[in-house]
Each structure stands twice: as C-alpha cells, then as structure tokens.
Amino acid sequence: MNRLISVILPVYNCDQYIKECIDSILSQTYTKFELIIIDDKSTDKTVEIIKSYTDNRIKLTLKEKNTGLTDSLNYGIHIAQGDFIARMDGDDVCMPTRFEEQIKVLIENPEISICGSWAKIIGSNEYMETPECNHQIFKKFIFHNALIHPSLMFRKKVFENHKYDRNFEPAEDFNLWTRLIFEFNFYNIQKPLLNYRKHDMNVSKQRAQIQKEKFLESLYNFYSTINEDKSEVDLKIFKNFYLNTSFTTADFLKIYELYNSLLNYKKINLKKEVKLLDKRAVRKLLEQKPLIETIKVFIKLNINDKLQFIKYYIKKVKFS
C-alpha cells in the first residue's frame, strides 16, 4: 500500500484541541498523506499553533472570510491530490492505526467506497457504535444517522459528481450520505479508530434546532427517493411528526402509510429488523380508543416512543 491519502481538516477557533489533533495525524502508522487544513478565519491562536509545525505534509489555507464548514470541506476536496479522502475535525483525535486500517479495507474491497469506524468519547467510557455493512447502514438511515463524519475515509471518485450542500449545514454530512448510498457502498470497521470530543462548542450544541430541521429535510428527501408507493406526506407534516409542533389524526395516518410503504422497498426487509420493546408508552397507546384519543396521547411522546409505536402498528395492527 503506497497510495496517497488527503486528510481534510477544517478548523475554526479550536486552539484548545488542535495540537492534540494534528499530533495524532502526524503519528499515524500509515505515513503517505497530505494534511490539508482550511482555517475559517479563526480569531484565537489556532493558526499560530498550526504554523508552528514544520512537517511538509501540512498544507494550510487561510480563508479571507468566515464562510462555514461546508465551503471548507468542498474546497479541501477540490485541491486534494490523494486517491483517498480522510475526514477529520480539529477537536478529535485519531487512533495511531486509523489510516492504515481504513485504506486496507478500501484497497482489498473495491466494492466499498466509504469506510468509517466506531468512536470513543473522550473523557468517558462511552462508545459511539455504528452498523457494519451497507445494507445495515441503509436501514439505519430510515430513522437515524449511521456514520460518524470525522471517522470516514472516501475514494476520491465519490466526489466527482457529488459535494456537500451548504443549504443543509449543519447537517451537511447526513444530507450527503443519503445521496451517496444509492451509488456507493459504505462500511464501518467495528472498533473505535477515533476519539470523539463532546463539549459546549460542538456545532450540535450551538445550533441544535437548525441541525435537527436540516437533518429532517434530508431524511424526508431520502424517504421520497425510496418510497415506491409515493405516499403523500408533505415536508411540514413530516417535520411536525419529529418536532412535535402540531399533529392531527390525518397526519398520523399519512405518516403510518409512509412508514408502511417503506417496508415494501426492495432493498429493505425492515419487518425482520423490528423488535418490539416493552415500552409503557406503547402499551398505554394501544389501550386508547377510538383512534382520535390515541393520537392525543401519541403527540405527547418523545420521538423514540413515536417511532416505536409506528413500528408496532406497521407490524401488528391494521386500521379498519
């Protein structure tokens, strides 16, 4: 294995963590890479720390103005010289063998185009575990993200006809995955190759509501693509289902039909995947009659209980 990897590292005001991040990249057991760092007009000491390194694999770009993560990612990929693109964030840390293990998977398995891994959360004993194979990842996308963005390595060809869409920031990653999965195979190595940092400056902490809405819009587009029965559920109803802003009996029936139709998609056999959890909320709902009373309880559930209830109806219950 002697193929060049381009590591894309967008940074903004991460002087507390950037040295540990860069050190973990420069210490990789696989050494043939370029480290493309794009600074989004940081106002702290991030750039000063980066400039203190003399390793000629580091290529630093200073943006003239702050334009956001998506622009940084697309620019980094545009100038990348490698056959493979590895993602990294400025506050995370790579395990020493990360690049070696991922490029091995990609070279030995030409049908795989994107390779990720699990991650360990820094400062805890918690792990972020992701499904292994492409069909498992596809099915997970029906309800949740199934990839850890800064853990991924791509073949460069993936980006020949695709790029991150800034209209979906800060959920630009999930939006891209739900488009790529129809053309390329994903794979997650079933062990942590990344130490992931959770802190108050995470994008998800600062812009949680926007991120959730952009995630849902991407999920809606994904459903629209795989829904062969083309159930008529508009984006507003779909978002309300998740965000709990408002919901009617008619909305519930539309969402039910949407999920039910997904079971018939040729790439998904979700019925075998559904496991009914013995949730008190689900049992309570099943006791409610008529349906309008059920909906009154349903709209108060959190999203996990909502999904559980919908899954149960799909599997066990038929509307009269």
Side-chain angles (χ1 to χ4, degrees):
M1 294 187 297
N2 195 30
R3 310 275 289 278
L4 179 66
I5 297 171
S6 295
V7 185
I8 309 298
L9 174 58
V11 296
Y12 177 71
N13 285 355
C14 53
D15 60 0
Q16 288 180 272
Y17 314 114
I18 190 62
K19 186 178 188 306
E20 188 178 7
C21 170
I22 293 175
D23 287 347
S24 75
I25 296 171
L26 298 181
S27 300
Q28 288 291 298
T29 54
Y30 189 92
T31 59
K32 189 171 182 182
F33 60 82
E34 58 176 356
L35 174 53
I36 300 173
I37 305 177
I38 304 99
D39 180 77
D40 201 17
K41 201 66 175 177
S42 291
T43 57
D44 62 3
K45 295 183 179 180
T46 297
V47 173
E48 179 182 336
I49 294 170
I50 296 169
K51 287 184 174 180
S52 70
Y53 286 86
T54 57
D55 194 306
N56 60 14
R57 291 174 295 182
I58 297 177
K59 300 177 180 178
L60 174 62
T61 295
L62 303 178
K63 292 165 68 173
E64 294 183 358
K65 60 180 181 178
N66 182 286
T67 59
L69 174 63
T70 303
D71 283 347
S72 296
L73 290 171
N74 286 332
Y75 177 74
I77 292 166
H78 175 70
I79 65 173
Q81 299 296 309
D83 298 314
F84 301 93
I85 304 289
R87 271 287 288 114
M88 188 63 180
D89 284 337
D91 49 2
D92 298 330
V93 179
C94 288
M95 299 295 193
T97 62
R98 176 192 162 185
F99 295 169
E100 179 181 352
E101 294 192 50
Q102 288 184 303
I103 200 169
K104 184 175 187 291
V105 167
L106 291 170
I107 289 177
E108 293 182 356
N109 301 274
E111 74 281 4
I112 296 173
S113 295
I114 302 103
C115 179
S117 75
W118 293 359
K120 184 180 186 299
I121 297 178
I122 295 173
S124 77
N125 292 320
E126 297 178 53
Y127 291 86
M128 300 167 68
E129 299 182 358
T130 50
E132 183 176 18
C133 301
N134 195 68
H135 71 280
Q136 296 169 334
I137 293 169
F138 193 105
K139 284 185 283 190
K140 186 71 179 278
F141 279 169
I142 295 177
F143 301 110
H144 302 286
N145 197 350
L147 301 165
I148 302 169
H149 194 183
S151 80
L152 297 180
M153 183 180 290
F154 308 78
R155 297 184 189 276
K156 178 71 179 292
K157 69 178 183 180
V158 166
F159 297 101
E160 290 177 357
N161 297 309
H162 296 277
K163 63 180 181 178
Y164 293 92
D165 188 341
R166 66 182 303 175
N167 293 318
F168 287 88
E169 191 173 331
E172 75 293 326
D173 55 340
F174 183 69
N175 174 262
L176 181 61
W177 314 154
T178 54
R179 289 184 281 125
L180 292 180
I181 199 158
F182 292 102
E183 297 181 41
F184 303 99
N185 286 328
F186 289 80
Y187 180 82
N188 281 314
I189 295 172
Q190 298 295 282
K191 66 177 183 178
L193 296 178
L194 181 80
N195 286 329
Y196 181 86
R197 194 182 307 275
K198 285 188 174 181
H199 53 82
D200 290 339
M201 293 303 292
N202 283 141
V203 171
S204 56
K205 293 271 188 178
Q206 291 184 316
R207 303 168 66 189
Q209 184 66 21
I210 297 174
Q211 186 178 55
K212 184 178 289 186
E213 292 205 4
K214 295 300 182 182
F215 171 86
L216 292 177
E217 191 171 343
S218 298
L219 191 61
Y220 177 80
N221 292 339
F222 178 66
Y223 281 8
S224 298
T225 303
I226 67 176
N227 182 15
E228 291 184 332
D229 290 346
K230 300 300 179 188
S231 297
E232 294 297 327
V233 178
D234 65 34
L235 181 58
K236 182 179 179 180
I237 292 174
F238 185 79
K239 284 187 176 182
N240 286 346
F241 172 71
Y242 284 87
L243 299 177
N244 233 0
T245 52
S246 63
F247 216 70
T248 67
T249 304
D251 294 341
F252 176 88
L253 293 173
K254 287 181 180 180
I255 291 290
Y256 165 78
E257 290 299 336
L258 170 64
Y259 279 86
N260 194 38
S261 68
L262 293 179
L263 297 183
N264 299 320
Y265 184 65
K266 59 186 177 182
K267 291 185 180 180
I268 303 173
N269 189 0
L270 189 61
K271 284 184 178 178
K272 292 183 179 179
E273 303 296 322
V274 172
K275 296 179 181 178
L276 177 64
L277 302 180
D278 188 23
K279 287 184 176 288
R280 189 178 305 168
V282 175
R283 295 201 307 274
K284 184 177 180 180
L285 275 173
L286 292 175
E287 295 169 358
Q288 302 296 317
K289 292 183 180 181
L291 181 60
I292 186 65
E293 297 301 318
T294 303
I295 303 305
K296 288 179 181 179
V297 180
F298 175 82
I299 62 176
K300 297 177 182 179
L301 298 179
N302 64 40
I303 186 57
N304 289 329
D305 285 343
K306 279 184 178 179
L307 291 172
Q308 187 62 44
F309 182 66
I310 286 285
K311 288 179 189 177
Y312 186 85
Y313 257 74
I314 290 171
K315 189 177 182 184
K316 298 287 187 182
V317 181
K318 292 182 179 180
F319 287 109
S320 58

